[in-house]
Amino acid sequence: MYLLLIALAGYVNFQRVGGKVQLSLIVTSLALFIIFSSTSFNSTFARPLPDETRFFTSWVHACFVTILLCIGFALVEDELSEDRKFIGDFRQAINNGQFELLYQPQVDESGNLIGAEALIRWNHPQKGIIRPDSFIPVAERTGFMPELGNWVLDNALNTLAHWRNDVSTRHLTMAVNVSPDHFLETDFAINVIRKLKLLEIAPSNLKLELTEGMFVSEVDDLVEKMNVLKSAGVGLALDDFGTGYSSLSYLRRLPFDQLKIDRSFVLGITEGKRGESLAKSITQMGIDLDLQMLAEGIETNEQFQFMLSCGCTAFQGYHFDRPISLEDFIERVKLYPM
Ligand code: C2E
Ligand code: MG
Ligand code: MG
């Protein structure tokens, strides 16, 4: 009976961090429950309890397990209703226009503006501005990310469609972050291509940013989708490069155009020779693989000069600009060299 409880606890845990260990805990507990409850063991060391004690303890155990199971169900229900509440909040936020896209400029070696990364913000009526790191993990856990991701994509593409009408913005690319469960939706690639066609946007003006966390499962499906997008002309960038724990061998198979070197490597260059060598080697590896190298999180001119000397050809960071509203971005375009 207690094995059922362990299986339930394993299930709750599996909801939080899905993984093979959690899954095998559930399967093993259930299998042991079936085996123990259907077979009788007679150990020579066992001393049978008197009948009156057995009668009493079996009631105690059954009641105790039932109470614990009910608490378990209540906890699961509580968690599910919390998730349902989050989904409700997200949907309301979309409908009430509480989400906003900010745009962070990206520049080339000479500091010329080459594009922007769209970064989402939640302008919460009570909590103020909420950064994506606080709500994207919740949206991913509750399965809301495809819906939110579509909102981001639609808005970013609408902005691109406007940029196309002006000579000062026509050449700019738009980088959009895509979550794994959104990217792996069956019709994701087809939808993106359809939207680009509908808005008459050149596919090369869009760059989808994926992260290493995506390559842990369903790699074949991922490669297929990436190839469809790539052959349509859509750009593909690997975000936060170097922070994941996956094997580098995926770089052989995945058709990326750009690697975005994570901010932590740029920060590391001020911490001595090893940090410098690491930033240099990573950049060189990307260049050898024929990938465009973008350095993220450039905050000072020294960092810019160093990453430039490593061979990076694109840059993004507070040194150039913070993520800014669309109106501010249009103002800023005029200030950049053309
Ligand atoms: P990211 O895609 O790596 O975006 C870069 C993050 O670094 C942004 O944080 C940006 O504001 C910040 N940043 C840029 N330059 C500098 C700098 O020089 N110094 C420092 N300290 N920070 C800098 P933000 O906007 O809070 O976004 C955090 C993460 O949330 C993003 O990391 C991205 O993974 C995710 N995210 C943001 N918007 C979206 C979205 O629309 N969809 C999805 N799926 N994820 C998003
Ligand atoms: Mg990004
Ligand atoms: Mg990044």
Side-chain angles (χ1 to χ4, degrees), residues 11-68:
Y11 170 72
V12 173
N13 207 18
F14 182 73
Q15 291 296 309
R16 292 209 181 101
V17 258
K20 286 190 182 127
V21 180
Q22 277 83 358
L23 204 60
S24 59
L25 179 74
I26 301 172
V27 174
T28 314
S29 310
L30 291 178
L32 285 176
F33 169 72
I34 293 170
I35 293 167
F36 285 140
S37 57
S38 334
T39 45
S40 57
F41 294 94
N42 282 320
S43 164
T44 45
F45 301 108
R47 264 194 276 130
L49 291 170
D51 270 354
E52 55 276 20
T53 316
R54 281 163 68 92
F55 173 80
F56 178 69
T57 51
S58 58
W59 271 98
V60 170
H61 284 304
C63 291
F64 188 58
V65 168
T66 308
I67 291 169
L68 288 181

Side-chain angles (χ1 to χ4, degrees), residues 117 119 177 209 239-240 260 296:
E117 177 175 7
L119 294 160
N177 296 282
E209 291 193 5
D239 203 358
D240 306 335
K260 296 186 80 178
E296 285 192 277

Side-chain angles (χ1 to χ4, degrees), residues 2-303:
Y2 288 95
L3 285 163
L4 288 179
L5 279 179
I6 298 175
L8 180 68
Y11 170 72
V12 173
N13 207 18
F14 182 73
Q15 291 296 309
R16 292 209 181 101
V17 258
K20 286 190 182 127
V21 180
Q22 277 83 358
L23 204 60
S24 59
L25 179 74
I26 301 172
V27 174
T28 314
S29 310
L30 291 178
L32 285 176
F33 169 72
I34 293 170
I35 293 167
F36 285 140
S37 57
S38 334
T39 45
S40 57
F41 294 94
N42 282 320
S43 164
T44 45
F45 301 108
R47 264 194 276 130
L49 291 170
D51 270 354
E52 55 276 20
T53 316
R54 281 163 68 92
F55 173 80
F56 178 69
T57 51
S58 58
W59 271 98
V60 170
H61 284 304
C63 291
F64 188 58
V65 168
T66 308
I67 291 169
L68 288 181
L69 266 179
C70 289
I71 293 174
F73 288 140
L75 288 176
V76 172
E77 172 56 25
D78 197 43
E79 194 145 313
L80 286 179
S81 64
E82 199 175 43
D83 283 1
R84 280 195 288 266
K85 188 185 160 301
F86 276 127
I87 292 177
D89 287 353
F90 284 137
R91 205 157 277 148
Q92 204 179 7
I94 288 189
N95 294 337
N96 296 348
Q98 291 169 13
F99 286 116
E100 183 191 4
L101 282 188
L102 297 186
Y103 299 87
Q104 186 174 31
Q106 296 179 333
V107 303
D108 67 9
E109 302 101 312
S110 323
N112 296 330
L113 189 64
I114 52 172
E117 177 175 7
L119 294 160
I120 195 169
R121 295 289 180 273
W122 184 351
N123 299 317
H124 197 280
Q126 279 90 41
K127 297 178 190 159
I129 296 173
I130 310 179
R131 301 270 298 237
D133 285 338
S134 317
F135 64 86
I136 294 237
V138 184
E140 281 177 342
R141 184 170 54 81
T142 53
F144 192 72
M145 214 44 226
E147 202 168 326
L148 191 56
N150 274 330
W151 180 90
V152 170
L153 200 60
D154 288 347
N155 277 268
L157 291 181
N158 280 338
T159 303
L160 259 184
H162 279 108
W163 286 358
R164 197 199 43 215
N165 298 328
D166 193 305
V167 278
S168 61
T169 49
R170 189 171 292 166
H171 61 292
L172 299 178
T173 57
M174 176 78 77
V176 177
N177 296 282
V178 185
S179 287
D181 49 345
H182 188 201
F183 193 84
L184 289 170
E185 280 205 318
T186 323
D187 45 6
F188 177 81
I190 312 286
N191 269 341
V192 170
I193 296 166
R194 191 177 48 79
K195 284 176 185 176
L196 286 166
K197 260 201 193 115
L198 207 69
L199 293 167
E200 296 175 18
I201 298 168
S204 56
N205 280 7
L206 176 67
K207 199 181 298 148
L208 299 177
E209 291 193 5
L210 313 180
T211 47
E212 281 175 56
M214 228 177 240
F215 315 137
V216 284
S217 61
E218 305 179 66
V219 179
D220 291 336
D221 188 19
L222 186 78
V223 173
E224 194 187 311
K225 287 206 168 63
M226 287 179 79
N227 281 329
V228 171
L229 287 160
K230 172 109 176 173
S231 44
V234 176
L236 296 165
L238 177 56
D239 203 358
D240 306 335
F241 178 60
T243 56
Y245 299 102
S246 42
S247 138
L248 282 179
S249 62
Y250 63 76
L251 282 178
R252 240 184 303 132
R253 288 185 68 196
L254 303 175
F256 283 111
D257 305 286
Q258 183 187 66
L259 290 192
K260 296 186 80 178
I261 302 181
D262 188 64
R263 197 167 75 87
S264 52
F265 293 102
V266 175
L267 277 175
I269 61 178
T270 45
E271 287 163 16
K273 266 264 144 296
R274 279 192 164 198
E276 286 184 6
S277 306
L278 201 56
K280 237 182 229 155
S281 314
I282 288 183
T283 310
Q284 194 52 50
M285 186 195 75
I287 295 170
D288 292 344
L289 290 171
D290 228 4
L291 295 161
Q292 186 197 38
M293 299 304 289
L294 182 148
E296 285 192 277
I298 302 284
E299 293 184 352
T300 64
N301 190 40
E302 291 73 49
Q303 290 172 343

